Amino acid sequence: MKHTYTVTGMTCNGCKASVEDALNALPEVSNASVNLETSEATIEMSEHISINILQNTLSDKYSISEKNIFNNAPEVRVEDKSDLQQLFPLFLIFGYITIASILLNIKPWDGNGFMLDFMGLFYIVFSFFKLLDLKGFPESFRMYDPLAKVVPVYGWIYPFIEVVLGLLFLMRIEIPIALAVTLVILGITTIGVTKTLIDKKSIQCACLGTALKLPMTKATFIENSIMIVMAIIMLINLYK
């Protein structure tokens, strides 16, 4: 018997493969194929499988439900959000981080202190969102980060690296090392982001983990570039 289900939460080919692998692992399933564009899974099974079993087989980030075969009405599509609307959470967080960094260094004004606090708050806030779904983040991250693709464990420890870097910047501890590490890890990620943008692939950005669904856009490149430029300026100031 063959059944078609609706699967939500998939954002990239990695998600598609993950869902297919999980469904095909069930002994009652002879073949499961997923269509990422329509968010549908077609499952051939030797005996009926309850929706609860199918759901428990999948990661928490995915939701599976039975497709209503009796509804022949044309599908009503919600108008796609513009890039600006989709990236609003990212811009809002950047705004809060910028304002907080300015207030911490305004009297008297300290440009170096502003950059250190900005970088520290950036890492702490962004690591928080990644840690909300530590299970789902590595899967999304490795879709574009070159190192995470080769060394999967890197995706698991990356949020903790951000926590450590954030604390180092905010507490003014081992700043040269923190700056060097920032250049390396963000440089690697930026290479992957650039390749994704050039290839015009549509995947989810994992900068804010998987809690917020953000598309990979030029804003992601700009976000990393700001941090890299700040790190370079700080290193120049330290050693000039």
Side-chain angles (χ1 to χ4, degrees):
M1 63 183 73
K2 180 185 292 187
H3 296 280
T4 302
Y5 298 86
T6 298
V7 181
T8 59
M10 299 184 298
T11 57
C12 60
N13 287 324
C15 296
K16 172 181 179 293
S18 178
V19 172
E20 285 183 343
D21 290 344
L23 294 174
N24 280 310
L26 290 170
E28 300 88 352
V29 174
S30 56
N31 181 60
S33 60
V34 174
N35 188 315
L36 185 61
E37 294 183 359
T38 61
S39 297
E40 291 181 354
T42 302
I43 306 176
E44 298 180 26
M45 56 188 76
S46 57
E47 59 184 77
H48 185 264
I49 306 173
S50 70
I51 197 69
N52 288 335
I53 293 177
L54 293 175
Q55 183 62 66
N56 291 334
T57 301
L58 301 179
S59 167
D60 293 339
K61 68 180 292 189
Y62 310 119
S63 177
I64 187 169
S65 59
E66 295 185 35
K67 187 174 177 63
N68 186 357
I69 62 175
F70 301 104
N71 183 8
N72 294 320
E75 180 183 3
V76 178
R77 295 178 62 90
V78 178
E79 184 179 355
D80 292 337
K81 294 182 178 179
S82 67
D83 285 346
L84 183 61
Q85 289 174 314
Q86 294 182 71
L87 293 171
F88 178 73
L90 180 63
F91 294 139
L92 187 62
I93 291 172
F94 255 96
Y96 272 96
I97 292 175
T98 301
I99 292 172
S101 301
I102 290 174
L103 293 176
L104 289 170
N105 298 276
I106 195 169
K107 291 183 179 180
W109 175 248
D110 181 359
N112 287 340
F114 164 78
M115 286 189 285
L116 289 174
D117 286 332
F118 182 94
M119 297 172 77
L121 291 173
F122 175 97
Y123 278 129
I124 293 296
V125 173
F126 278 56
S127 64
F128 165 78
F129 285 100
K130 294 178 176 70
L131 290 171
L132 285 178
D133 184 15
L134 187 55
K135 183 178 180 180
F137 167 74
E139 183 177 313
S140 297
F141 189 52
R142 69 183 178 87
M143 294 305 299
Y144 61 88
D145 185 271
L147 183 56
K149 288 180 181 179
V150 179
V151 186
V153 70
Y154 176 64
W156 289 93
I157 66 174
Y158 186 84
F160 300 100
I161 294 176
E162 287 196 334
V163 171
V164 172
L165 289 173
L167 292 175
L168 291 178
F169 283 124
L170 292 175
M171 299 177 69
R172 309 298 195 260
I173 300 173
E174 299 294 348
I175 297 302
I177 295 177
L179 291 171
V181 174
T182 292
L183 288 177
V184 172
I185 65 172
L186 291 187
I188 292 173
T189 301
T190 302
I191 292 173
V193 170
T194 303
K195 186 177 186 303
T196 299
L197 293 175
I198 292 175
D199 294 341
K200 297 182 179 180
K201 293 181 180 178
S202 177
I203 65 175
Q204 177 183 336
C205 173
C207 56
L208 288 178
T210 58
L212 298 176
K213 307 300 182 184
L214 300 177
M216 180 68 70
T217 66
K218 294 178 182 177
T220 311
F221 174 83
I222 295 173
E223 159 207 324
N224 284 354
S225 298
I226 290 173
M227 289 287 286
I228 290 174
V229 169
M230 284 188 174
I232 293 173
I233 292 174
M234 289 300 304
L235 282 172
I236 292 174
N237 290 340
L238 285 173
Y239 294 105
K240 68 179 180 180

